[in-house]
Amino acid sequence: MTTQEPVTPGLPAADHLSPVSRTALAVARGRAYESAQPDPLFVDPYALAFVTAAGQPPRPGNGKPLGPLARRLLMHGILRTRHYDDRLLAADTRQVVVLAAGLDTRAHRLPWPDGTRLYEIDLPPVLAFKEQVLTARGARPQCERTALPADLTGPDWPERLRAAGFDPEQPTAWLAEGLLVYLDADQAAQLLTTVGELSATGSRLLVEQGRDVSRTPVEEGLTEMTALWRGGLGPGTADWLDAHGWTTRFTSLEDIAATHGRTLPPATGAALNGFLEAVRT
């Protein structure tokens, strides 16, 4: 079952999405690419539908050879998706919150335990476009799903989350996939502080380890996205979490690639090196 709070009347087309929100289409394109491989790490049956509905080319690079950063980011996104899929299910909690959910379809494609409630938070145009595509495909969530239009940089999303049924006294699995890099350090710290305040002991937070975005190489076809990177908490993300009531564990991208028999393209100056799983203590 899906519930969604009201959004502005009139269903927006993809070209009404903000520049940051439009990056979700590139991520969906990567999921569609992997889903079509002979031995995929996951299958997202809706990813290509998002890309098609937005009138965008279905393949990464639109048939042109990808540059080194694009190849690394594509494989990073594929491995990240599978890693977060596995860790969310392993968290064994019945309350999940996907921050800046974008075009994520885990509510629909993962085998959630009975009684799972999953909350997706993102801006109203993103969720409206997403619902348009999912409805057209007859998609049905595998858990109790609530789509919550809200701005994560604003002050009111925690109260709106509680009003939608979220229980801060229960352990939560939080997912912040590809989010912090689009925030500055103060915004990232404020967001994570609020997440901590909403997290009961034993809650888990999945997030990327940050990097120094000032070292991002300029690559044709990617500047529209990389120009939006603000760095979040950068390489100090784990240290910040450890100092604010969490215990973090790092998993390298190389380890995940080896686990799944994948070869990583060479690292670049902006390469993400892995992922953090933080437990609220």
Side-chain angles (χ1 to χ4, degrees):
M1 180 182 72
T2 296
T3 60
Q4 180 171 344
E5 288 200 353
V7 297
T8 304
L11 202 56
D15 57 8
H16 289 107
L17 301 180
S18 72
V20 171
S21 295
R22 289 183 66 82
T23 63
L25 291 165
V27 177
R29 186 182 298 112
R31 294 200 305 272
Y33 170 83
E34 177 64 15
S35 298
Q37 299 309 302
D39 187 21
L41 296 186
F42 56 85
V43 174
D44 184 340
Y46 310 107
L48 184 58
F50 293 129
V51 178
T52 302
Q56 294 204 350
R59 292 180 57 84
N62 194 20
K64 299 178 182 179
L66 298 179
L69 178 56
R71 291 197 303 272
R72 180 81 177 192
L73 289 176
L74 175 61
M75 183 54 65
H76 168 264
I78 291 167
L79 293 171
R80 178 179 71 182
T81 298
R82 175 58 186 267
H83 176 68
Y84 285 160
D85 285 357
D86 292 343
R87 298 316 303 159
L88 283 171
L89 293 176
D92 193 28
T93 179
R94 300 301 186 267
Q95 187 165 253
V96 180
V97 180
V98 184
L99 300 168
L103 303 178
D104 179 277
T105 62
R106 289 184 173 93
H108 298 79
R109 63 179 182 80
L110 292 186
W112 297 102
D114 290 344
T116 299
R117 301 188 69 179
L118 186 147
Y119 300 88
E120 297 179 2
I121 306 177
D122 212 319
L123 298 173
V126 181
L127 294 179
F129 171 69
K130 183 176 184 176
E131 290 306 313
Q132 179 187 34
V133 175
L134 291 175
T135 299
R137 291 295 302 272
R140 296 289 182 269
Q142 304 301 307
C143 59
E144 185 177 345
R145 170 180 175 253
T146 298
L148 187 67
D151 184 349
L152 289 167
T153 64
D156 64 341
W157 71 266
E159 187 56 40
R160 298 186 66 186
L161 182 60
R162 290 190 190 94
F166 174 83
D167 183 0
E169 301 301 318
Q170 298 298 318
T172 303
W174 299 88
L175 176 61
E177 183 176 22
L179 167 59
L180 297 188
V181 71
Y182 294 102
L183 305 178
D184 62 33
D186 288 342
Q187 290 172 325
Q190 180 57 58
L191 176 63
L192 294 181
T193 296
T194 303
V195 168
E197 292 169 349
L198 293 169
S199 295
T201 300
S203 294
R204 295 175 183 270
L205 169 65
L206 300 172
V207 66
E208 285 90 74
Q209 170 69 328
R211 78 277 203 190
D212 179 3
V213 297
S214 68
R215 298 173 57 218
T216 304
V218 176
E219 186 169 299
E220 184 180 358
L222 289 180
T223 53
E224 186 174 299
M225 176 180 67
T226 57
L228 300 171
W229 290 352
R230 304 175 75 179
L233 295 171
T237 304
D239 292 338
W240 189 97
L241 289 168
D242 285 335
H244 289 81
W246 301 86
T247 298
T248 59
R249 182 181 71 179
F250 173 77
T251 303
S252 73
L253 196 63
E254 287 75 14
D255 285 347
I256 298 171
T259 296
H260 297 294
R262 295 300 180 93
T263 301
L264 277 177
T268 67
L272 283 154
N273 59 1
F275 309 96
L276 300 174
E277 182 170 352
V279 179
R280 190 67 174 169
T281 55

